Amino acid sequence: MSITYGKAICYSGYREGQNPMAKLYPSKEEIYEDLKILEKDFDYIRMYDASLYTLKTLEVIKENQMNLKVMLTMNLLGEISNHNCSWGGTYTVSEIANNILNNQTELEQTIRYANMFSDIVLAVSAGNESIPEWNENLVSAGRILYFVKELKKHTDVPVTYCDNVHYWNRELREVAEEIDFISIHLYPVWEGKNVSESIDQTIEGYEYIKKLYPNKQVVITETGWPTQSSNHQIRPHVANEYNQKIFNSVIDQWSEKNKITCFFFEAFDETWKGSNDPQEPEKHWGFYGIDRKPKLIKHECNT
């Protein structure tokens, strides 16, 4: 199974004072407001867990007969301690056991949502960036493969797994053979690249994976550009709305021309993310600010 080309964006609409870690979710009214904004320009949205927030979003789409389909993503907790992660990722045996139970519940809930809303769910992903060595929530490729097989067995929608482009030629080869389509993330800006270099590297990254797996559909499930940064990896002078507009517009035009579905990261800024530094780049990838005011990209991409 594959997915039909469509305009796509990642949606995580947490506003000021809201936080998935504390289970402080947007209300249905706030979700509806967000989706009315996104429905104008996008066919697909991608979400990141099987929480109540995701359920409410699916309900809002169904209740209001909105023209949006949703890619669901399992949110996996660490099943392996990662002593190389500077911000966490070391677990006791008991914590790992609890995380494994949580991941099984997440699997079952994702299956439930996919079947309850089969007319709305575009596809399901067996995790998000669970393999990289920097991750505080490490999960083995073998476990990802298990989740993929379970999703395929118990749902009727395409099944994938989302991760950085660098891992598909190594750890994820067996996963790649099992999934219905390959989902890649491309962020050259995190590697210190400027706009021009990032555009070239993004296209080259897609073409590399497509050449590696010529018989598989390849979808970009994350790429984008931040509008603020105080991080040494993303130089502050390249993180601005003008560069965001250039990068996303060019990639959007390229993906449309080649009918490659590309989920831009992301719809709205999220102030809960990252450090307490207000210029932390993790907070500033949105096409819209936390106040829902459009940035420059809004008028240049997906129109």
Side-chain angles (χ1 to χ4, degrees):
M1 287 190 285
S2 61
I3 63 173
T4 304
Y5 167 76
K7 299 280 189 175
I9 197 161
C10 300
Y11 172 56
S12 184
Y14 292 96
R15 304 182 184 219
E16 292 285 3
Q18 297 172 347
N19 185 328
M21 310 301 290
K23 298 184 179 180
L24 296 173
Y25 302 128
S27 67
K28 273 194 167 183
E29 292 74 21
E30 290 169 330
I31 294 168
Y32 178 74
E33 179 186 356
D34 288 348
L35 298 185
K36 287 300 290 182
I37 293 171
L38 300 179
E39 186 184 32
K40 300 172 186 175
D41 298 320
F42 298 98
D43 305 299
Y44 307 145
I45 61 173
R46 180 183 170 209
M47 300 192 73
Y48 286 85
D49 57 31
S51 68
L52 177 61
Y53 173 35
T54 298
L55 175 60
K56 289 196 292 185
T57 301
L58 292 165
E59 289 174 343
V60 167
I61 293 171
K62 190 175 187 69
E63 290 164 2
N64 295 279
Q65 299 181 320
M66 305 183 85
N67 294 317
L68 286 168
K69 288 189 178 294
V70 181
M71 179 176 177
L72 301 178
T73 307
M74 290 178 60
N75 178 34
L76 299 177
L77 299 183
E79 298 185 358
I80 305 167
S81 278
N82 184 3
H83 301 286
N84 296 319
C85 180
S86 61
W87 59 86
T90 301
Y91 303 104
T92 65
V93 172
S94 176
E95 287 171 333
I96 288 176
N98 286 334
N99 287 351
I100 290 171
L101 289 174
N102 176 88
N103 292 345
Q104 184 64 29
T105 300
E106 183 80 357
L107 169 66
E108 293 166 2
Q109 195 79 300
T110 301
I111 291 169
R112 176 170 166 259
Y113 289 177
N115 291 329
M116 283 176 62
F117 299 93
S118 57
D119 55 333
I120 296 172
V121 173
L122 172 73
V124 292
S125 174
N128 181 72
E129 296 183 349
S130 299
I131 296 296
E133 60 279 356
W134 49 259
N135 190 3
E136 78 274 25
N137 284 307
L138 276 182
V139 177
S140 70
R143 284 286 285 166
I144 297 295
L145 187 61
Y146 161 75
F147 293 127
V148 167
K149 290 180 177 180
E150 288 296 297
L151 289 169
K152 290 181 72 174
K153 185 187 302 182
H154 297 291
T155 71
D156 294 319
V157 298
V159 175
T160 188
Y161 169 70
C162 304
D163 217 320
N164 190 284
V165 66
H166 303 298
Y167 298 92
W168 289 102
N169 67 342
R170 303 196 307 267
E171 295 93 333
L172 293 171
R173 280 187 171 272
E174 194 173 357
V175 172
E177 296 302 326
E178 185 68 27
I179 53 182
D180 293 307
F181 64 92
I182 294 171
S183 295
I184 61 174
H185 295 176
L186 294 151
Y187 286 113
V189 67
W190 274 114
E191 300 172 17
K193 306 300 182 183
N194 63 31
V195 174
S196 178
E197 293 168 334
S198 293
I199 290 168
D200 290 343
Q201 191 168 312
T202 297
I203 295 171
E204 289 166 4
Y206 170 86
E207 291 174 343
Y208 170 71
I209 298 300
K210 188 61 183 173
K211 185 176 181 180
L212 200 61
Y213 300 100
N215 297 320
K216 288 281 186 178
Q217 181 184 27
V218 179
V219 171
I220 299 172
T221 44
E222 283 188 26
T223 194
W225 199 272
T227 54
Q228 290 189 50
S229 178
S230 57
N231 187 291
H232 70 280
Q233 289 179 274
I234 299 177
R235 293 165 291 173
H237 72 275
V238 305
N240 56 62
E241 292 188 30
Y242 180 71
N243 283 345
Q244 183 192 53
K245 178 178 71 173
I246 294 173
F247 176 82
N248 286 356
S249 296
V250 172
I251 295 301
D252 180 60
Q253 292 163 13
W254 165 79
S255 64
E256 182 175 16
K257 178 181 178 181
N258 293 281
K259 295 296 180 279
I260 298 163
T261 297
C262 177
F263 286 80
F264 286 97
F265 191 84
E266 62 178 326
F268 304 101
D269 283 353
E270 298 184 78
T271 55
W272 71 271
K273 284 189 167 183
S275 69
N276 292 326
D277 185 343
Q279 290 190 308
E280 159 74 51
E282 292 284 0
K283 304 177 188 292
H284 298 288
W285 294 79
F287 280 33
Y288 296 81
I290 190 76
D291 57 4
R292 274 47 187 171
K293 291 182 180 178
K295 299 182 185 178
L296 290 178
I297 183 60
K298 164 64 175 67
H299 304 289
E300 298 294 332
C301 191
N302 295 302
T303 56

